Amino acid sequence: MPWNKHDYPVSMKNLEPRIRHKAIEIANALLDDGYEEGRAIPIATAKAEEWGENHPESQNSKQNSNSNSSSGKKADYRQSSSKERRHSEPVASSKSHDNIHVVPTDSGWAIKEEGKSSYQSTFDTKAEAVDAAKALSHKQNIRAIIHNQDGQIASSIKS
């Protein structure tokens, strides 16, 4: 069942509304492409946050107010949505595998590169793993996605 602005993953609740709507749109597209929920949600969240950084709200507001004056709001939303979807479709490209994840292991915590089965490094505590992930994220200019003990996404860090 596709997500919408009233029914979406809990991990998206703290996103600002326009970023959350974009994340929902991307996540639904990924699900349509056969991604599992557990993989679609973090990718969609990361890509929506990246989209938000590249599409400041003030520019978006100006475009919407200009286009709304010439035609109906509903039609503009559909046009904008399809353009944005085309822009966001390369989510499955190799760039989406630049993320690193802090994940629980049987003996502690680990940093794992997205798309790889082995751990990059392991740690006794989550705090140590998060600190190392922050440093890697900053050094490599990538996103670090932090998971809870149960494997659910808790947060993400982008330096």
Side-chain angles (χ1 to χ4, degrees):
M1 178 173 81
W3 292 300
N4 59 52
K5 67 180 183 177
H6 302 293
D7 180 28
Y8 50 83
V10 173
S11 61
M12 293 181 185
K13 74 177 180 181
N14 291 326
L15 296 173
E16 66 176 82
R18 74 184 203 90
I19 303 298
R20 182 173 49 243
H21 295 303
K22 187 65 173 176
I24 291 166
E25 178 184 323
I26 294 169
N28 284 333
L30 290 171
L31 290 175
D32 289 345
D33 287 346
Y35 280 74
E36 294 178 13
E37 269 187 33
R39 184 148 160 78
I41 294 168
I43 292 171
T45 301
K47 288 298 180 181
E49 287 174 341
E50 185 179 309
W51 171 85
E53 291 168 7
N54 294 325
H55 296 85
E57 191 168 5
S58 60
Q59 285 180 348
N60 195 23
S61 300
K62 286 180 188 174
Q63 289 173 347
N64 284 345
S65 64
N66 289 343
S67 56
N68 285 344
S69 62
S70 62
S71 63
K73 188 174 185 175
K74 200 169 200 176
D76 283 332
Y77 176 75
R78 287 184 188 146
Q79 283 181 336
S80 172
S81 177
S82 65
K83 284 179 188 172
E84 289 165 4
R85 176 167 275 172
R86 275 197 299 273
H87 175 72
S88 298
E89 277 180 349
V91 168
S93 72
S94 60
K95 184 164 177 36
S96 70
H97 296 291
D98 290 344
N99 297 330
I100 56 172
H101 294 255
V102 173
V103 295
T105 68
D106 292 337
S107 59
W109 291 84
I111 295 177
K112 184 178 174 225
E113 290 181 59
E114 199 166 282
K116 305 253 173 131
S117 58
S118 60
Y119 301 129
Q120 185 173 344
S121 49
T122 57
F123 302 88
D124 292 330
T125 67
K126 182 177 182 178
E128 292 171 325
V130 169
D131 288 344
K134 283 180 183 177
L136 270 172
S137 171
H138 181 72
K139 181 179 177 184
Q140 297 178 7
N141 195 27
I142 58 175
R143 185 170 306 277
I145 299 171
I146 314 302
H147 294 258
N148 290 328
Q149 185 66 42
D150 64 3
Q152 294 293 316
I153 296 171
S155 63
S156 72
I157 302 164
K158 173 75 173 170
S159 294

